[in-house]
Amino acid sequence: MAASVISLACVEIQGTLDKLTLHETVRPHAQRLPQKKTVALSVPSQSDVDVQSLVKQLTLQEKVSLLAGDGLWHTAAVKRLGIPRIKVTDGPNGARGELFTSGTKAACFPAAVSIAATWDTGLAKRIGRAMAEETKTKGASVLTATTRLGPTVCPHRSPLGGRNFESFSEDPLLAGLQAASVIQGLQENGIAATIKHFAANEQETMRNAIDVVVSERALREIYLKPFEIAIKQAKPLALMTSYNLVNGVHADQNTHLVKEILHEQWGYDGLVMSDYGGTNSLEDTIKTGVDLEMPGPPRHRTLAAVEKALASGSLDMASIDDRVRSVLQLVKNVGKFEHPDEIPETAVNHPDHQRLIREAGADGIVLLKNKGGILPLQTSSLSSIAVLGQSKTCFSNGGGSANLNAHYKITPYEALQKAVGETTELRYAIGAQIYRKLPCWTSGVTDHNGQPGWTMLEYDVKDKNVPLSDDMQPQRVYAFPQTTYMAIEHISDAVRLEGTFTPASSGAHYFSLPAFGHAKLFIDGELAYDAGPSPDPRAFSEGGPFEEKKQHHFVQGKSYQLRVEVLAPKPEQAAIPMMAGRIMFHLGFMAQEDYEEDVVTSAVEAAKRADVALVFVGNSAEWETEGHDAANMSLPAFGSQDRLIEAVAAVNPRTVVINCSGVPVAMPWIDSVAGLLQCWYQGQEAGNAIVDVLLGAVSPSGRLPVSFPRSVEDTPSYGNFPGDLATGTVNYAEGIKVGYRHYDKHPDKVLFPFGAGLSYTSFEFGPAVITPRELVHGGFITVRLQVKNVGAVAGKEVVQVYLAPLPTEARGADRPERPIKVLAGFSKVAVAPQSAVSAAVEFSFESAAFWDEKADCWAVDCGEYAVLVGNSSVNHTKVGTIVVNESFTYGP
Ligand code: BGC
């Protein structure tokens, strides 16, 4: 199959398109001007509750209770006045419900970066709609009731960002429009969205304390822009502030960000909540406009503190009333007054959602290399496929708030086996170990009842200096999940895990026991390991130091009594107050022969004899996760996956790499492999979505939402990420040169450019018609053209329209430097083979604007602007020009 080629014809005349058209595809993508200041669900609340009069009836104590969460996932109720509580739930790729790891099963959707890679706003909206339905199964009444903590829209600044996968793109327009679509899908179906994290939250390192030093121009053009677009277009009912500081002030008390820009300039009147544990004061945060401190019990908004502040005059009742009004307005907006009851969480494994997740997953996959048309695989002519690497793992999501208990997860191996049946032999070998923590210790362990798993006992100990007592009662029998155990959901003073271990082999086997709390492992009553007190949950959950690996000699077939004891940190010891009394630990194990095995050799042997070698690699959720930035761009762990690819490619020229990560990774092997698919995190259907593309059931149509640099040294933030940790400062010194705004000036530094992606078919773009030709304040431009599929299979193409201002020399030496071009709009079209459709891309005058720091407002310079149309940020043609006859400014 041919890779996607594009030929662009350009005309500079206006006219009507001739009617080759099969379907008219018109997608107005432009940013609209600020408009109505109210936000409303499409199913508006019928309640006649008068929020203002309720505020008047509340006592001070009741008002204060409404200003902070009631526990982790609720606002407070005021029964006396019939004010119900609202439930909120994470997160970025689905509705998790109340428990982080082992909660009610939920649909796991593709990550935001994968949704962005579809470049399909209609699909993003359908995902929002399905997420709304899911959210309702996690405790909402029929109309509305739950607030979803997402989407995340912060731009990808560095490929090392641990939470990039949760967010859409390096480009503010693509991120803003995709986020707006998800929000519309959610809110039109009765679920409030919470856009986050406002603002400049592009790293996890020191996330609570890092001070982001950023110019006003970069803030406005890059970091605030996705928020501005999504807020103005989709009006999310809630917004979450970020943990970090911006230019010296924490986001939650940053008057410039929250009061001036968000509320006054953009007219936002939805609810503003803090990130969890992210309030840094009482008075400033309330006055700035943060309505809700999350979670509860509050750190700052206690009755005593509020009374003291009111008495001293540092806080006034009017500010408190404003915040309370906003909370009540959200309760009203989501229809809670009419439907106050909270339905228990349920797991609804909806076939429509399964289909949508598979479709969206496949549509986000980006084909980056296809030498000799190796893909799609023609299985009828293949007698064997080596299926190597992480093919028996489903990389459904990244870690942290994105965790949820998926209904199911399809691995690529399973999906491939099902698709090829008996006809093609699959030769599996893991080839590389990628664990960050040793796998959970499950194998060979039986509980008190002789069943596989552990017996877990929980106990309240009043004095935590006293050793665990012997009369602990089993609270539940606990089968370790495959992933890290987090006992965050409930408060236990102590946890004990007991089991009988019968090793399958003799050896100095490896184990590990990182914890938040004080953990010890006893083997046959003897203390085998004391991890020591660990009061900082970040050391456990946010990447932190690598776990300490220990060895113990076990004899095959002998039974050992194992006991793990973990004491919760004392409240005064917990580095994050909301974590006091909560325990987290992980018990890892690996047999010595497995840990030390040379796994590459068997993979190479499998590859040598196979017709094709598929190598599945990626960043597991342990590596790409909230709370942890990557140290470098290399695939984990410590080079193991790069070694595998290189060794396999050396023996089989028909090697295809399938990479799952939310960020670009280093690809030292790129010239030696024949094919490469970038697969992000596709949710519970990841295996099926990948196999649909591998075997050609779906022609790849994903396009990169982020530039893939050759190395981390080539990235614009290099040297300034994650910043100076001694001073706690990160300098966004690259200004607006983020992503392709930088690489356009350094094309040699990018391996795969923004917007790129191949197809199994080929497209040709017809002549473009641009109307009108003059851009004025408040105006819109439409670019129309035909997209023809000249290949043999159906496919989808993304028409990308970029706007290029005149170079600085031509605009005047006193004018600020501009990027070579910016994405102005896009449209994705599906085209049958040997057919054509017309596409229309609309963009607004705002695409021509830059933030003028001297005038402190947006500015559009007069002159000509080139309109570039193509299918990537480097493969495009100038199809015409538009003109701005008179310079103008607007805003802020
Ligand atoms: C994250 C938020 C998340 C919240 C609740 C915080 O640590 O930053 O994005 O919604 O936890 O889980």
Side-chain angles (χ1 to χ4, degrees), residues 73 90 96 100 149 152 163 166 196-197 201 207 240 243 275-276 401 578 626:
W73 310 117
D90 277 323
R96 184 185 58 229
F100 273 95
L149 303 177
T152 313
R163 245 179 139 167
E166 265 189 51
K196 62 189 189 183
H197 306 88
N201 179 194
R207 67 175 178 168
M240 187 186 280
Y243 285 126
D275 199 347
Y276 278 51
S401 309
M578 73 185 229
E626 175 179 344

Side-chain angles (χ1 to χ4, degrees), residues 609-675:
R609 293 174 289 116
D611 294 334
V612 167
L614 302 179
V615 190
F616 291 83
V617 297
N619 287 334
S620 65
E622 277 192 303
W623 290 95
E624 217 178 308
T625 175
E626 175 179 344
H628 166 70
D629 292 317
N632 53 54
M633 274 176 65
S634 298
L635 283 164
F638 316 110
S640 65
Q641 299 189 84
D642 289 339
R643 284 194 292 277
L644 169 66
I645 298 169
E646 268 152 13
V648 168
V651 297
N652 192 327
R654 291 172 56 78
T655 295
V656 176
V657 173
I658 298 101
N659 179 52
C660 291
S661 63
V663 291
V665 297
M667 299 179 177
W669 32 259
I670 188 65
D671 293 335
S672 345
V673 302

Side-chain angles (χ1 to χ4, degrees), residues 90-141:
D90 277 323
N93 40 242
R96 184 185 58 229
E98 292 185 32
L99 301 189
F100 273 95
T101 48
S102 47
T104 312
K105 295 244 178 210
C108 184
F109 290 85
V113 68
S114 185
I115 298 175
T118 67
W119 292 64
D120 186 339
T121 50
L123 189 58
K125 190 165 176 183
R126 283 164 60 209
I127 291 173
R129 191 181 306 146
M131 280 185 180
E133 287 160 6
E134 261 294 304
T135 310
K136 289 175 192 170
T137 68
K138 299 297 173 287
S141 54

Side-chain angles (χ1 to χ4, degrees), residues 248-539:
V249 187
H250 267 111
D252 63 300
Q253 44 193 21
N254 197 310
T255 308
H256 182 51
L257 283 180
V258 180
K259 189 164 186 287
E260 292 170 8
I261 298 180
L262 179 68
H263 284 128
E264 293 172 6
Q265 296 174 8
W266 298 351
Y268 181 73
D269 65 358
L271 175 121
V272 179
M273 71 174 79
S274 71
D275 199 347
Y276 278 51
T279 41
N280 294 282
S281 69
L282 171 66
E283 294 92 333
D284 289 351
T285 302
I286 286 185
K287 285 194 232 162
T288 304
V290 176
D291 305 304
L292 188 64
E293 171 179 336
M294 283 304 276
R299 257 169 98 190
H300 294 286
R301 299 181 178 188
T302 59
L303 182 60
V306 170
E307 280 173 342
K308 198 168 155 207
L310 285 171
S312 73
S314 60
L315 191 62
D316 57 276
M317 192 59 86
S319 303
I320 292 180
D321 286 353
D322 285 346
R323 306 289 74 85
V324 171
R325 198 176 301 110
S326 187
V327 174
L328 295 182
Q329 191 59 50
L330 183 66
V331 178
K332 180 174 172 174
N333 279 343
V334 297
K336 253 307 188 182
F337 283 108
E338 298 102 298
H339 302 279
D341 295 335
E342 196 173 292
I343 295 166
E345 293 186 1
T346 51
V348 182
N349 191 356
H350 205 299
D352 287 351
H353 296 176
Q354 298 168 13
R355 277 191 290 273
L356 175 64
I357 292 169
R358 183 170 180 167
E359 176 194 339
D363 273 14
I365 291 175
V366 188
L367 175 63
L368 289 172
K369 186 167 183 187
N370 197 15
K371 195 169 152 197
I374 187 166
L375 295 179
L377 297 179
Q378 307 296 334
T379 48
S380 53
S381 59
L382 299 176
S383 59
S384 63
I385 305 176
V387 189
L388 312 171
Q390 303 300 307
S391 60
K392 292 193 175 177
T393 306
C394 176
F395 286 119
S396 54
N397 55 273
S401 309
N403 271 319
L404 50 71
N405 191 7
H407 288 304
Y408 59 90
K409 289 184 184 181
I410 307 284
T411 69
Y413 188 89
E414 264 178 278
L416 196 59
Q417 202 170 38
K418 198 167 166 203
V420 300
E422 302 291 304
T423 57
T424 311
E425 184 201 347
L426 301 186
R427 295 188 184 143
Y428 168 76
I430 191 156
Q433 299 292 6
I434 67 161
Y435 46 81
R436 181 180 168 90
K437 295 189 176 76
L438 290 178
C440 282
W441 195 336
T442 45
S443 103
V445 181
T446 49
D447 65 18
H448 284 184
N449 302 322
Q451 298 302 313
W454 297 80
T455 297
M456 189 168 99
L457 306 96
E458 291 176 48
Y459 194 66
D460 281 340
V461 258
K462 296 287 166 278
D463 179 353
K464 296 194 190 68
N465 292 321
V466 173
L468 286 164
S469 95
D470 277 339
D471 60 0
M472 289 170 76
Q473 292 303 308
Q475 299 296 305
R476 53 180 171 159
V477 171
Y478 186 72
F480 243 119
Q482 288 310 302
T483 54
T484 302
Y485 175 66
M486 293 168 77
I488 191 172
E489 5 280 8
H490 50 266
I491 297 187
S492 309
D493 280 347
V495 166
R496 178 184 287 177
L497 213 59
E498 291 180 353
T500 305
F501 175 53
T502 314
S505 61
S506 298
H509 300 328
Y510 290 80
F511 68 88
S512 63
L513 184 55
F516 168 51
H518 188 159
K520 294 176 187 170
L521 171 69
F522 296 84
I523 301 176
D524 286 339
E526 298 284 318
L527 180 65
Y529 177 57
D530 183 343
S534 173
D536 189 344
R538 285 167 294 204

Side-chain angles (χ1 to χ4, degrees), residues 436 538-546 627-628:
R436 181 180 168 90
R538 285 167 294 204
F540 175 83
S541 65
E542 299 186 6
F546 285 102
H628 166 70

